[in-house]
Amino acid sequence: MSELSRFGVSLEKGLLVKFDQLIKKKNCANRSEAFRDLIRQELIKEEWQGGKEIAGAVILIYDHHKRELVNKLTDIQHNHQTIIISTQHIHLDHNNCLEIIAVKGTPKEAKELADTLTSVKGVKHGTLSMSSTGKAID
Ligand code: NI
């Protein structure tokens, strides 16, 4: 960890009360940790908006019995193999599968992949978790 710097923050009392309630709800260790999380969240947003290299995950829920669905999802992933770094498939129950596709690339590529996979007929839910390669949030 890099050297710590301290600074004071002035807040309206009402806002501080709400911040403390949020910290409690999120089980954050303390105000400093909560504040660091908020800053990192904003920096990640900035990374995604700035078009820099990002990391994230596409999460899909689907019924593998649907005709051709698995083949289509596999074809799409092969066409985007330059940004996919790993895929994990979990058989949730007799019908449902959970797929976690880890990606590293530009935000545009990640969003395109997530949209393409999510829009395949038979995918029950798809979401893109936007995270960071970690370099910009130290
Ligand atoms: Ni499965």
Side-chain angles (χ1 to χ4, degrees), residues 13-131:
K13 208 175 172 191
L15 198 57
L16 184 59
V17 169
K18 283 179 186 158
F19 188 50
D20 284 338
Q21 287 168 347
L22 189 72
I23 290 169
K24 211 175 157 192
K25 213 168 123 184
K26 290 190 161 194
N27 284 322
C28 261
N30 51 50
R31 286 176 180 162
S32 291
E33 193 51 50
F35 205 64
R36 281 192 283 269
D37 284 350
L38 288 175
I39 292 170
R40 287 192 186 111
Q41 200 55 48
E42 282 307 305
L43 289 171
I44 289 171
K45 235 190 256 177
E46 190 73 12
E47 276 188 276
W48 277 78
Q49 284 165 359
K52 295 173 188 161
E53 186 183 59
I54 50 75
V58 182
I59 299 163
L60 302 172
I61 305 290
Y62 60 88
D63 182 344
H64 69 100
H65 290 122
K66 299 269 181 199
R67 258 178 80 101
E68 288 297 309
L69 176 58
V70 177
N71 280 343
K72 270 186 202 159
L73 295 178
T74 304
D75 282 348
I76 293 166
Q77 291 187 54
H78 276 270
N79 290 337
H80 291 80
Q81 45 87 19
T82 51
I83 70 154
I84 296 173
I85 47 180
S86 166
T87 300
Q88 185 176 21
H89 184 104
I90 296 124
H91 311 302
L92 285 179
D93 57 34
H94 183 70
N95 300 318
N96 294 296
C97 301
L98 162 67
E99 210 151 293
I100 304 165
I101 302 154
V103 295
K104 192 169 116 178
T106 67
K108 190 174 176 275
E109 290 169 325
K111 283 177 188 162
E112 263 173 27
L113 173 64
D115 288 343
T116 308
L117 289 167
T118 304
S119 64
V120 173
K121 198 179 167 205
V123 172
K124 293 182 179 179
H125 183 247
T127 187
L128 174 61
S129 180
M130 298 178 176
S131 193

